[in-house]
């Protein structure tokens, strides 16, 4: 993986923090904000690829 720095609105950052915290509780292990962001972007990429494949 390659590092990437991103600026984002506070609202999105807070959502990532909350989502990572909830996943950490649910999975009973630490889940990072980066993990959540990669999952969201991966799903969006797969959806876009399927859409373009039509």
């Amino acid at each position: 993986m390659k590092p990437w720095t991103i600026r984002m609105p506070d609202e999105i950052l807070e959502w990532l923090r909350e989502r990572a915290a909830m996943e950490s509780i649910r999975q009973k292990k630490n889940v990072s904000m980066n993990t959540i962001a990669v999952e969201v972007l991966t799903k969006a990429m797969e959806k876009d690829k399927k859409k373009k494949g039509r």
Side-chain angles (χ1 to χ4, degrees), residues 16-26 29 31 36:
L16 277 173
R17 282 188 183 129
E18 289 176 14
R19 179 79 186 269
M22 295 305 289
E23 282 299 309
S24 293
I25 292 166
R26 189 179 71 79
K29 67 177 189 176
V31 177
I36 300 298

Side-chain angles (χ1 to χ4, degrees), residues 10 19 21 39 42 44:
D10 290 341
R19 179 79 186 269
E39 286 176 3
T42 300

Side-chain angles (χ1 to χ4, degrees), residues 2-51:
K2 295 188 178 204
W4 179 40
T5 302
I6 181 172
R7 292 174 189 248
M8 66 180 68
D10 290 341
E11 182 180 15
I12 295 173
L13 184 60
E14 282 302 311
W15 177 81
L16 277 173
R17 282 188 183 129
E18 289 176 14
R19 179 79 186 269
M22 295 305 289
E23 282 299 309
S24 293
I25 292 166
R26 189 179 71 79
Q27 294 183 26
K28 297 182 181 176
K29 67 177 189 176
N30 190 37
V31 177
S32 71
M33 292 184 346
N34 286 338
T35 299
I36 300 298
V38 169
E39 286 176 3
V40 168
L41 291 169
T42 300
K43 287 178 187 177
M45 178 187 68
E46 290 169 355
K47 184 178 177 182
D48 186 57
K49 283 183 177 182
K50 284 182 185 177
K51 189 172 149 182

